[in-house]
Structure formats: C-alpha cells, structure tokens
Amino acid sequence: MNTDIQKVRNIGISAHIDSGKTTLTERILFMTRRIHRIHEVRGKDGVGATMDSMELEKERGITIASAATYCQWGDHEVNIIDTPGHVDFTIEVERALRVLDGAILVLCAVGGVQSQSITVDQQMKRYRVPCIAFVNKCDRSGADPFRVIAQLREKLHHNAVALQIPIGQEAGFEGVIDLISMKAVYFDGDYGDAVRIEAIPADLLDLAREKRDILIDAASIFSDELTDAVLEETEISERMLLAAVRTGTLKREITPVLMGSAYKNKGIQTLLDAVTRFLPSPMDVSNIAMDIDDPEKQIILSGKADDPLVALAFKLEDGHYGQLSYIRLYQGMLKKGDVAVNMRNRQKIKVGRIVRMHADQMEDVERISAGYIGAFFGIDCSSGDTFAAPGLNLSMTSMFVPEPVISLAIKPVNLQSEKNMTKALSRFTKEDPTFRAFTNEETNETIISGMGELHLEIYLERMKREYQSDIISGEPRVAYRETISARSEFDYTHKKQTGGSGQYGRISGYLEPAPDQDFIFENKVTGGSIPTQFIPACEKGFKACLEKGPYMKYPVTGIKIVINDGASHTVDSSDIAFQAAARGSFQQGYVKASPILLEPIMKVVVETPGEFQGNVMGSMNQRRGIIIGAHDVGYTTVIEARVPLAEMFGYATVLRSLTQGKAQFTMEFDAYKQVPKSVLDKLREKEEKKIKTGT
C-alpha cells in the first residue's frame, strides 16, 4: 500500500453499453502487470473478462455488478471500479461515483455521446467528479474522434479539449500524437506493450500544431505562467501545460480527451499517464461530513491517516465467509481488531478480517488508511452506513437512489423454494437499494420491483442459480400513481360514541395539486381551533391515505393539503380521533378534486441500421410513443422517443425481429404523465375482472 496519499488515484470507468469499459479495464490490468493474460468480454476461451466474475456476466457479455481492483502504474497506485453500462444497474454507477475521486468517461469513436453517456455524466455532475474522456474503438470503420469531441461540447456541455490526435484512420489506426510533448506514440508488439516514440509524421504536423494551439488556448485560463508565455511568445514547456490542464480538470472546467483502441491494445499507457497526471488524489478532493446533532453544520474531513476514522460502506455482497462490505476511508486508519461505531444505529463493531479486492479475488491486509478502498467481513451493516471512531458524531451524506419503475409478482413452486426465495430476497434487497420486495396484503403475492425488465430478469436468474429456488413469475406491473387535477374543500367531523370516552375531531381545509412534489402538508389553523398537539396526528392521518388512493388504489403523489380550521373536545379528542378525521377529510376532498391516473413515461433510445428506421419508428407509434428526434451516426440511425412503460414489455424481442437482431435500445425513467381515457377504461376493466374472478 502506497504511503504517499498524493500518489493514490481512486477512479471509475463509466460509459454507455458496449463502449468497451470492461475491455479497457482488462487492458489496464495487463499493462500494469496485475494480470498476465488478456481475456475478452465475449472470449472464446470460456474464461471471460477478469472484472466480469459472475457466471451471468460471462454468459451475456455484460457487466451487472461493479467490481473493484487496484494496480500500480509507475510510482502511483490506482484503485479502479468498473461499472455496468445498462441503465437497469444504474445504482452500481451511482454508488461507485459516490466514493471515487475521478473518472474515465469512455466514448465510442463511432457512436459518440449516447443516451447512457448522458445519464453517467449527470451522475458525475451530482457528485462533482472530475473526469477525463477516452475515445475508444478508433480502429472501427466510421470512427471520428473529433466528431465525438464536438458532441461532448454540444450534448454534455463539457469544455472538451483533445490532448492527442490519431495517426491513421479506422483500420489504418496506428497510434497517437501527444500534443503536450509533440511526439508520435506507437504501440508495438502483440499486446501493444512496446511503446515507440518518434517524430510527428510530416503530413500530420500542421494538424498537430493547430490542435495544440486550441489546447494551449483552453489551458491558459488556468495558469498565469502559461498566459504570460503565450503573450510574450516564449517557449511553452510541458510542465506548464500539464499543470494548467490538471488545474482545469480538477475544477471540472476542462475535460481532457485521449484516444485509442482498447481491443487493439493502443493508447492504454498514455491513458494511464493521464490518470496519474490529471485526475485528483484523495487530498485534492474536499469531502464533507454532517454533524449528526446539527445537520446544518458541515465538517470538512482532513483526509489524513492519523486523524480519527471516518469511512463509508457503499456496497454489500454476500460472500463465502458472510457479508462483505466495501468501504471507502475518508479519514483515519482501520486496522484488524479496531473498534468503530456504525453511526446509523450507534452499534460498536470490532473489525476482524480486512481485505483488498481484485474482482472476485481478495487479498488479506493488516490495515487500510485514508484515501483507500477496501472491504471487511462479517459486519452487519447497510449500504450507505458511516463508520466512525468512538466519540465522533459525524455522518457522510448517502447516495441518490432512484425509485423503481417496474414490478413483478413471483411465486415459489414448493416449500424448499419458498425458504430459499426468502433468503435470496433478503440478501438482494440489502445489496441493491433499487431492488425492492414486499408482500401484497390483499393478494398475498410476493412483489419484486426494480429499474427495468433486465434488472428483474437477472435477479430471477440468480435466485435459480445461486439459491436453487424455482419460481413462477407473473406479468410485469407498472408503477402507476394517482393525483388530483383540481382544488377541493373538505370539512369532516369524526364522532364516535361508545362505552367510556368517545372520539371527536373536526378538520376543515382544502386539497390542491402540487406538481413535481410528492406531498406537502400546511397548517394554517389559527386561534387554537385544533390544539397544536394534534397537528402531527392530522399529518400522519393524511400521509396514511397516500399509500393507496381512493380512485384506482394506487399510491398518491403531487398533492398539497392545507388545514385551516377544525374543532376539538376537551375529553373526547385524541391523536387517534384526529388521525381518523384526517382520513375522512381526505376521502371527502379527494373524490371532488377530479382525480387522475399517472403512468411512468420512459426515455427510449434505439440505435438501428438506417434501413430499419421506418420499422422502428412504426413500432414506437404503435406503442403510444412520441418520437423526439432521429439522427444518423455513421451507418447507424439513433431514434429518441418517449414511450409509456406499460407498452415497453417484451420490446427487446420485437425490436430484434424488426431489425434482424441488429438494433439495440436503452430505456430510462423520464416522467409521470396522465393516462389517456381509452387506456384508463381498459385498466378499469382488468381490475373489475380480477375482483370478479378473485385473482
């Protein structure tokens, strides 16, 4: 473990599906001698990429769970997390970026900035993660790195600047010209591990000078020394340029762009140099914790190993030896036998075994210090828990967790499968905050919810394989919501007189729509007509009604409730009476407030060969889709549409048959919109049928 924290880099590799993240990680591990043989993502050797250690990942050729590893490049230690590209596994990217200091945004030289690149970029913005861009697949036909740089500027609003230009186009791609050193770099040998540096070819010299001037112009904003050198027309040294680009990158005001082909082993070494030169060390990033007693107060963590411990558990796995918790240390040191406090439940824990991860292999270590990522065993905790030294009262902010949009009813085949299913669900819900499981009290069915069909499909497959649990799944259910579209008044009195003390509470006020909000409760009662101590009971009563709306029995959202008058009884009023009055008020006002049903609308992006464009657009229109736009990228047409989730089930199969298996699509949640009347009538019919048949 490197003792100089300035020489440590914690980075993530993020991108759209099939941009080559895992292949790039594999090459980085090979170049840093962490592995001695390259395996391909869809390799013929049956081994699969090192970072795709799960059986399902090897079979499907996709990354499902993020994997951590580390390697040495020169005198720097690089901790890497390889993340999935599919939006269904977005939480894996979210939690990786939460604990990383820098990132490599991988872009395809042909596809450029694609839909998932935009999502990943938003996640980087959320956690203010500085990044460098790597334009991969420069050897493919239709590759155009400069078009990708233009897209980075237009679509993602990055100040993207090329640090390299390619030598040769498409199949003739040989190497890169480094615009900082003004040298040509070639990657020789079977694995591109022999780096050859030569003078720039004469035919590329003018282009290299032109692009270098653009780089100097962009970097000079971040260095007075460089600006002076430009104005005085003195020589611009490599040191000056490197320092200016680093300053701009750390501020997220410059995105340096490098080029190469991971599959052809070209450009990996120069990318690693860029990681150590431009991305931040743990000391370059300001990490903030909250004071638990005073949540408004923010504490900046020092990042020093000799200060008291502050660490965040960001990912859980069920290993062979119990729960494996991945942690990032922000301050202090964690040694075997140390005692730390889980700040969520104030439980003291004693650390037994500490490991560092290399995909699914682990290496025992005596200690981990600030700035590093490691894992410990056998400690019961949840994703997002903060561990601190006894006496500290700090908590790290947890990560953003998107809400699930799709549900599925599942049923075990026999008793043994039921036991195993319970175990599996308990583990999966703990590991993945976007995966939920609950029992529907009315139908007594087990319902699982997640981010998409693929997400749920993977978990069902894992239940079968890892837990030998045979399961029958019902049809997917859409997470509908209901809301109101008009203001309405309510004035309800709850009166119950039985033996002993009765119940009495009157609430008056109104409901009104609150778009983009879940629930707002406002108390405008004056003159004590409802005593202050009963106001929380009123809010609790209203909140209880939101779980199942009176209109179509779906959760209620986008509603504001204002109470402005009421009455109480000195003896018969109680919390229970006012909760009941709130429920009655809600029912009374809701019916008059023109309730409507909302459905999740998905942002769907289809990439298809141009000749199938008409078929794909037709299929979108049949699914109540609204086409936002279509543009050509090389031989591919990219179609973007907004389509209701209810219409997207089984679309992968339909798309394959429409395009001879040549198209792919991504889908992510966009917004909730009102359900059209014709669809609403069908849903009502379905519900009535269910009630009649008792299913």
Side-chain angles (χ1 to χ4, degrees):
M1 198 183 286
N2 203 320
T3 49
D4 183 1
I5 195 88
Q6 296 284 3
K7 296 280 171 74
V8 174
R9 299 287 179 272
N10 292 313
I11 63 160
I13 297 181
S14 304
H16 184 82
I17 306 155
D18 281 346
S19 294
K21 297 176 295 298
T22 305
T23 303
L24 177 62
T25 312
E26 195 75 4
R27 299 307 188 266
I28 288 174
L29 295 178
F30 178 78
M31 294 302 173
T32 56
R33 298 289 174 260
R34 196 76 182 78
I35 57 173
H36 303 289
R37 187 171 161 220
I38 291 172
H39 299 293
E40 299 306 341
V41 173
R42 292 185 176 88
K44 309 263 189 307
D45 58 5
V47 177
T50 307
M51 302 304 275
D52 286 349
S53 53
M54 203 188 286
E55 278 302 313
L56 276 167
E57 293 180 317
K58 287 174 181 166
E59 276 174 32
R60 292 174 181 242
I62 60 169
T63 303
I64 292 168
S66 53
T69 186
Y70 62 95
C71 55
Q72 200 82 21
W73 184 246
D75 58 353
H76 285 74
E77 189 166 313
V78 183
N79 295 307
I80 302 169
I81 295 186
D82 172 32
T83 60
H86 286 76
V87 73
D88 292 45
F89 311 113
T90 190
I91 190 67
E92 293 288 339
V93 185
E94 198 75 45
R95 56 178 154 208
L97 290 174
R98 170 67 186 82
V99 297
L100 294 170
D101 304 319
I104 301 172
L105 176 62
V106 183
L107 299 158
C108 171
V110 182
V113 172
Q114 293 159 287
S115 59
Q116 195 59 17
S117 321
I118 297 168
T119 306
V120 167
D121 181 63
Q122 283 167 345
Q123 290 169 321
M124 286 183 193
K125 264 191 197 136
R126 189 177 294 133
Y127 301 113
R128 298 205 45 77
V129 176
C131 75
I132 57 178
F134 180 67
V135 180
N136 192 19
K137 304 190 180 184
C138 285
D139 57 313
R140 273 184 55 190
S141 75
D144 184 350
F146 296 116
R147 185 185 67 233
V148 179
I149 292 172
Q151 287 181 352
L152 266 173
R153 288 171 168 275
E154 290 157 23
K155 291 188 179 179
L156 301 184
H157 310 295
H158 279 233
N159 182 13
V161 183
L163 297 192
Q164 299 172 340
I165 60 172
I167 302 171
Q169 289 280 312
E170 301 175 352
F173 177 66
E174 291 177 49
V176 293
I177 291 168
D178 182 349
L179 299 177
I180 291 177
S181 65
M182 286 300 273
K183 291 276 192 295
V185 186
Y186 298 92
F187 306 91
D188 299 335
D190 292 344
Y191 299 111
D193 46 356
V195 177
R196 175 165 53 93
I197 295 171
E198 291 194 357
I200 296 172
D203 59 328
L204 289 171
L205 200 53
D206 287 345
L207 179 64
R209 284 182 182 139
E210 180 197 322
K211 295 294 181 189
R212 189 173 200 255
D213 287 344
I214 294 170
L215 168 62
I216 291 166
D217 194 39
S220 59
I221 301 166
F222 304 100
S223 164
D224 294 339
E225 190 185 4
L226 183 58
T227 309
D228 293 343
V230 172
L231 294 172
E232 290 161 17
E233 294 184 8
T234 55
E235 192 191 335
I236 292 166
S237 69
E238 275 185 53
R239 178 193 57 78
M240 258 187 243
L241 206 42
L242 287 170
V245 173
R246 178 177 169 81
T247 305
T249 308
L250 296 188
K251 288 181 175 175
R252 278 183 52 87
E253 288 172 26
I254 274 188
T255 302
V257 182
L258 295 102
M259 296 162 195
S261 164
Y263 186 64
K264 293 283 170 68
N265 312 305
K266 295 187 192 306
I268 311 302
Q269 296 91 325
T270 48
L271 177 65
L272 279 163
D273 288 339
V275 165
T276 57
R277 285 170 173 173
F278 306 124
L279 289 181
S281 77
M283 296 303 282
D284 295 320
V285 179
S286 171
N287 289 303
I288 293 168
M290 286 183 313
D291 187 326
I292 293 174
D293 296 330
D294 180 7
E296 298 297 309
K297 194 175 167 190
Q298 294 189 328
I299 312 288
I300 294 173
L301 301 175
S302 70
K304 292 177 182 167
D306 41 12
D307 281 344
L309 172 77
V310 178
L312 179 77
F314 66 95
K315 177 178 158 79
L316 312 177
E317 264 177 27
D318 200 16
H320 302 301
Y321 310 102
Q323 182 176 298
L324 176 69
S325 311
Y326 285 75
I327 54 161
R328 159 78 200 261
L329 269 72
Y330 287 97
Q331 188 177 283
M333 190 177 285
L334 195 63
K335 297 195 286 285
K336 268 189 196 175
D338 275 1
V339 171
V341 179
N342 183 337
M343 301 313 287
R344 179 175 51 87
N345 53 20
R346 303 290 172 149
Q347 277 190 344
K348 283 192 175 180
I349 56 133
K350 189 169 185 185
V351 179
R353 186 179 171 199
I354 305 177
V355 294
R356 292 194 71 195
M357 302 303 295
H358 173 49
D360 61 339
Q361 298 157 21
M362 52 193 81
E363 190 182 300
D364 281 278
V365 290
E366 287 298 313
R367 61 189 169 84
I368 309 173
S369 62
Y372 284 86
I373 290 169
F376 48 47
F377 269 110
I379 288 163
D380 187 39
C381 66
S382 297
S383 192
D385 282 358
T386 302
F387 290 92
L392 279 190
N393 206 16
L394 301 177
S395 173
M396 302 294 294
T397 52
S398 59
M399 64 210 87
F400 170 78
V401 178
E403 283 298 308
V405 292
I406 180 173
S407 301
L408 204 61
I410 57 171
K411 199 162 83 183
V413 171
N414 51 37
L415 190 63
Q416 188 55 45
S417 286
E418 188 174 355
K419 281 181 190 167
N420 294 345
M421 180 186 88
T422 309
K423 271 188 215 163
L425 291 178
S426 151
R427 172 190 159 187
F428 296 154
T429 47
K430 202 172 184 186
E431 282 181 13
D432 182 350
T434 58
F435 178 76
R436 315 264 169 94
F438 60 94
T439 305
N440 184 326
E441 285 169 14
E442 283 181 17
T443 60
N444 218 15
E445 287 176 318
T446 302
I447 309 287
I448 56 172
S449 305
M451 300 305 295
E453 272 186 293
L454 178 66
H455 192 204
L456 298 184
E457 195 186 308
I458 293 291
Y459 276 118
L460 289 175
E461 191 64 35
R462 284 182 67 188
M463 276 184 222
K464 246 176 231 164
R465 291 184 187 203
E466 295 171 32
Y467 287 89
Q468 288 74 51
S469 179
D470 284 332
I471 283 163
I472 302 164
S473 57
E475 61 176 67
R477 297 178 174 202
V478 179
Y480 289 107
R481 297 278 183 270
E482 38 181 280
T483 189
I484 54 172
S485 58
R487 177 181 154 137
S488 77
E489 312 275 331
F490 56 79
D491 187 343
Y492 184 84
T493 306
H494 172 71
K495 219 187 257 182
K496 199 174 180 188
Q497 205 64 48
T498 48
S501 63
Q503 286 184 16
Y504 180 85
R506 179 182 150 247
I507 302 175
S508 172
Y510 58 89
L511 311 173
E512 65 181 13
D516 304 324
Q517 298 283 334
D518 282 339
F519 170 66
I520 302 169
F521 175 77
E522 210 172 293
N523 170 23
K524 285 190 176 173
V525 173
T526 51
S529 55
I530 298 177
T532 315
Q533 72 264 31
F534 296 131
I535 299 295
C538 297
E539 185 176 358
K540 194 176 177 184
F542 283 122
K543 262 190 179 160
C545 299
L546 301 179
E547 286 172 26
K548 195 182 267 190
Y551 180 52
M552 291 278 288
K553 306 288 182 274
Y554 287 107
V556 177
T557 184
I559 193 166
K560 180 179 180 179
I561 298 176
V562 178
I563 59 170
N564 52 24
D565 198 8
S568 65
H569 187 280
T570 46
V571 178
D572 291 350
S573 285
S574 64
D575 274 6
I576 289 168
F578 272 101
Q579 279 183 45
R583 287 196 292 272
S585 300
F586 186 86
Q587 301 278 355
Q588 189 192 72
Y590 196 85
V591 179
K592 298 184 288 184
S594 307
I596 54 172
L597 192 65
L598 304 173
E599 64 179 342
I601 304 293
M602 309 304 279
K603 176 177 146 193
V604 179
V605 178
V606 182
E607 292 171 33
T608 172
E611 69 259 34
F612 303 115
Q613 183 179 348
N615 295 358
V616 172
M617 283 184 163
S619 75
M620 289 286 172
N621 291 329
Q622 285 166 2
R623 289 176 151 66
R624 297 195 282 125
I626 295 166
I627 292 172
I628 304 296
H631 61 275
D632 294 334
V633 179
Y635 306 112
T636 306
T637 299
V638 178
I639 300 161
E640 192 178 320
R642 299 288 181 274
V643 190
L645 175 64
E647 306 291 339
M648 287 301 293
F649 297 131
Y651 186 62
T653 315
V654 172
L655 186 66
R656 275 188 211 119
S657 62
L658 282 176
T659 61
Q660 296 168 14
K662 292 177 183 172
Q664 61 172 11
F665 79 99
T666 57
M667 177 172 88
E668 60 187 299
F669 173 71
D670 185 52
Y672 271 100
K673 291 270 174 7
Q674 187 173 349
V675 173
K677 190 177 181 313
S678 56
V679 178
L680 184 63
D681 293 341
K682 278 183 196 164
L683 281 169
R684 279 220 172 102
E685 259 174 56
K686 220 178 190 181
E687 287 302 316
E688 281 165 18
K689 211 181 263 180
K690 269 187 191 171
I691 293 162
K692 277 178 193 167
T693 55
T695 55

